[in-house]
Amino acid sequence: MNHLSHHPAQPSNKDELKTVLNNLMLTYGQDVWNYALFLTKSKHLADDISQEVFLKAFINYDDFRKESSVKTWLLRITRNISINHMKTNFLRKVTLMDFLSPKGTYPSTEKEVLDKFAVNQVWGIVIQLPRIYREVIVLEAHYDLSDQEMASLLGISLGALKSRLHRARMKIEQELEALKNEE
């Protein structure tokens, strides 16, 4: 695991701070962007939010209390900035198909195609969930955060987190069942 994963040493000057933040961007930039994309459903906003996150991290690095991992801290900043964008009606929706469209070619075996379709179906359902359910599934499945880390990042109790996870899973199961019944 990268030494930046938990608590990098406090830099003593601006050059060291720039180096640490450059390393943070290289290490966590894709995670920050992906999380912003899941929250906003907009690639454009994910780009803007990612830049804001690292600017905010640069400005507030001295205030990082090391009560959580750097990754959790950056994802918390990402979440807060994303929510602020959504609250100000800055959000522009993208179509689900644009979000899920394949970027390359896939092997033509039937199983791989069906597996990819099933994964896309599940993530399509996840993306349509209300934000409070969507984000716990993304944090758990994509970012592999522990329950405690997710609760801390979201600013909720462990019990509330577990309740959200349970409700999110139930909603996904209900939607998958409804899709199965349509076939």
Side-chain angles (χ1 to χ4, degrees):
M1 184 177 272
N2 188 315
H3 73 282
L4 295 174
S5 297
H6 293 291
H7 308 292
Q10 197 71 17
S12 60
N13 62 46
K14 285 195 180 207
D15 288 334
E16 285 182 27
L17 179 59
K18 287 179 184 178
T19 300
V20 167
L21 288 171
N22 186 48
N23 289 337
L24 291 176
M25 290 171 69
L26 291 172
T27 304
Y28 301 111
Q30 192 64 49
D31 286 336
V32 165
W33 188 88
N34 287 339
Y35 189 40
L37 178 64
F38 274 109
L39 292 172
T40 64
K41 302 180 192 178
S42 168
K43 292 176 183 179
H44 173 71
L45 276 178
D47 291 340
D48 292 347
I49 289 167
S50 295
Q51 289 176 4
E52 271 187 69
V53 166
F54 288 104
L55 178 61
K56 192 167 189 169
F58 181 82
I59 292 168
N60 296 305
Y61 192 81
D62 290 337
D63 297 332
F64 176 51
R65 295 178 300 218
K66 299 179 182 167
E67 294 171 358
S68 63
S69 69
V70 172
K71 182 178 183 177
T72 301
W73 179 59
L74 291 172
L75 292 177
R76 181 179 295 123
I77 294 170
T78 304
R79 179 179 184 267
N80 291 340
I81 291 172
S82 297
I83 288 170
N84 287 340
H85 275 276
M86 290 185 280
K87 283 181 180 174
T88 60
N89 293 324
F90 190 72
L91 179 62
R92 291 190 183 123
K93 299 207 179 216
V94 295
T95 65
L96 182 61
M97 291 313 293
D98 179 49
F99 178 77
L100 293 175
S101 63
K103 302 295 182 236
T105 58
Y106 297 99
S108 60
T109 64
E110 185 177 350
K111 182 178 179 352
E112 287 186 33
V113 170
L114 291 174
D115 287 348
K116 181 70 176 174
F117 178 75
V119 167
N120 283 345
Q121 242 183 344
V122 170
W123 281 111
I125 292 168
V126 169
I127 287 168
Q128 293 177 3
L129 291 173
R131 181 185 50 82
I132 66 169
Y133 300 132
R134 182 176 66 236
E135 68 186 345
V136 293
I137 294 295
V138 169
L139 290 172
E140 179 184 52
H142 186 71
Y143 293 103
D144 198 30
L145 295 182
S146 70
D147 287 355
Q148 191 61 49
E149 287 176 315
M150 288 187 285
S152 173
L153 186 147
L154 298 171
I156 61 176
S157 70
L158 196 54
L161 172 80
K162 289 179 179 185
S163 175
R164 284 185 190 181
L165 276 170
H166 176 74
R167 288 182 181 139
R169 290 180 187 126
M170 293 302 296
K171 287 183 178 291
I172 293 168
E173 285 179 30
Q174 290 168 353
E175 288 297 320
L176 286 172
E177 191 64 35
L179 286 173
K180 192 190 309 184
N181 289 337
E182 287 176 9
E183 293 175 353

